[in-house]
Amino acid sequence: MRKEDKSTVLEVLQGYIQQYPHFYLTDIEGLNAEKTTALRRQCNKSGVKLVVVKNTLMRAALSASDVDFAELYGSLKGNTAVMFSESANAPAKLIKEFTKDTKGEGKPYLKAAYAQEGIYVGREHLDYLIAIKSKEELIGDVIALLQSPAKNVISSLQSVGQTIHGVLKTLEER
């Protein structure tokens, strides 16, 4: 690869690291063309950007960032594809769904991840990463919790009102 091409790719990777708050380092080596195409389609549907990178260029892009990604450097071996995402758990769900036929042992597999400002190295973190809730999901949970007591009070008041109405109706008929 020419030096100009390397600098262009490096700039693109740095832009992705700044643009997307979460990314996963995965291994997709050995996937045939059909499975690779299916993976890319699923990534596009899920809002995940899949990029195959050279480990040295990814390491250089991570080094240029403000965040200390030193823990991820050990995972930059062999074939590496990076899944960039706005949602912390979208790539993890995608990997789990894509490997469900192989009970999570197939490819792509998780090498490491940077999600919710934390670094996770190894396949064993996949289930934990799936359980991470997005900002929208957390806001929805908080709103549901805040609405619950109000709904209970309104429900009680409505049932009391119906009970009183029923008693008055019965007395009126007598």
Side-chain angles (χ1 to χ4, degrees):
M1 186 181 277
R2 292 187 348 225
K3 190 172 186 175
E4 299 85 29
D5 295 338
K6 286 182 182 179
S7 64
T8 303
V9 170
L10 187 60
E11 288 176 18
V12 169
L13 285 174
Q14 289 171 340
Y16 287 154
I17 291 169
Q18 290 175 356
Q19 179 183 357
Y20 294 98
H22 316 285
F23 63 88
Y24 287 52
L25 301 176
T26 62
D27 184 357
I28 63 170
E29 182 180 23
L31 287 181
N32 61 25
E34 180 183 339
K35 288 186 177 181
T36 303
T37 303
L39 177 63
R40 288 185 182 278
R41 280 191 190 119
Q42 281 186 333
C43 286
N44 286 335
K45 287 180 186 175
S46 302
V48 175
K49 181 147 193 76
L50 180 67
V51 180
V52 178
V53 296
K54 291 183 74 68
N55 292 325
T56 53
L57 291 176
M58 186 65 186
R59 183 182 189 131
L62 292 174
S63 298
S65 174
D66 296 338
V67 180
D68 181 21
F69 291 116
E71 289 180 61
L72 297 176
Y73 296 161
S75 300
L76 293 172
K77 294 178 183 170
N79 188 315
T80 304
V82 185
M83 294 179 160
F84 294 99
S85 176
E86 294 289 334
S87 171
N89 62 1
K93 288 179 180 178
L94 196 138
I95 291 170
K96 183 78 165 189
E97 176 69 25
F98 201 79
T99 60
K100 70 180 175 186
D101 296 336
T102 60
K103 298 180 182 163
E105 297 299 318
K107 303 240 176 147
Y109 74 81
L110 177 68
K111 289 176 152 184
Y114 177 73
Q116 298 288 23
E117 298 179 5
I119 295 175
Y120 306 91
V121 179
R123 287 185 188 191
E124 63 274 5
H125 296 290
L126 186 63
D127 289 330
Y128 176 75
L129 290 166
I130 289 170
I132 291 177
K133 293 189 175 187
S134 67
K135 181 179 177 182
E136 291 77 20
E137 291 171 326
L138 288 174
I139 290 172
D141 288 350
V142 169
I143 289 173
L145 287 171
L146 291 174
Q147 286 179 341
S148 181
K151 285 182 180 179
N152 290 340
V153 169
I154 291 170
S155 174
S156 297
L157 289 174
Q158 286 177 340
S159 67
V160 168
Q162 290 175 352
T163 304
I164 292 173
H165 178 70
V167 169
L168 290 174
K169 187 77 167 172
T170 305
L171 287 174
E172 179 184 306
E173 291 174 359
R174 290 187 179 171

